[in-house]
Amino acid sequence: MEKQIHVLYTGKVQGVGFRFTSESIARSLQVSGWVKNLSNGQVEVVAEAEEELLKDFLARINQVFARYIRDTQVDWQDATGEFDTFEIGYE
């Protein structure tokens, strides 16, 4: 069953390639949604896929950026089906 995650990353998560790496990981796993920097220094991600793929997506991001991430807030919801690809968004 497809799920959606809404994630807020806090820490030194801007200026370290977070969005581009997240996009690459998402596309390799066929996860759809978007990632963007927020003006408060956080990075926001909304992504949809099968639950196991989303867990893998989160784990890979954490593996690459563990030293930069101070906090991660993840909200799980039912998928909406509104995304076709994974994109970098801009605030």
Side-chain angles (χ1 to χ4, degrees):
M1 183 161 122
E2 290 216 341
K3 301 295 268 181
Q4 182 183 93
I5 52 172
H6 179 241
V7 189
L8 289 174
Y9 290 100
T10 305
K12 186 178 177 0
V13 291
Q14 292 188 13
V16 294
F18 200 102
R19 292 175 298 154
F20 298 102
T21 302
S22 298
E23 178 188 37
S24 176
I25 293 168
R27 290 185 176 198
S28 74
L29 294 171
Q30 297 182 328
V31 170
S32 60
W34 50 263
V35 57
K36 69 179 178 180
N37 287 343
L38 300 180
S39 60
N40 65 2
Q42 293 179 307
V43 172
E44 181 179 22
V45 175
V46 173
E48 290 189 353
E50 294 293 325
E51 185 173 347
E52 289 305 312
L53 287 175
L54 291 173
K55 288 179 180 178
D56 192 14
F57 173 68
L58 292 171
R60 290 184 190 196
I61 289 174
N62 190 58
Q63 181 180 19
V64 174
F65 294 104
R67 66 181 174 201
Y68 301 107
I69 297 170
R70 189 177 71 236
D71 186 50
T72 305
Q73 298 174 347
V74 182
D75 180 31
W76 289 85
Q77 306 164 16
D78 291 332
T80 63
E82 64 188 284
F83 308 110
D84 293 324
T85 62
F86 195 91
E87 303 290 335
I88 295 175
Y90 300 93
E91 186 170 282

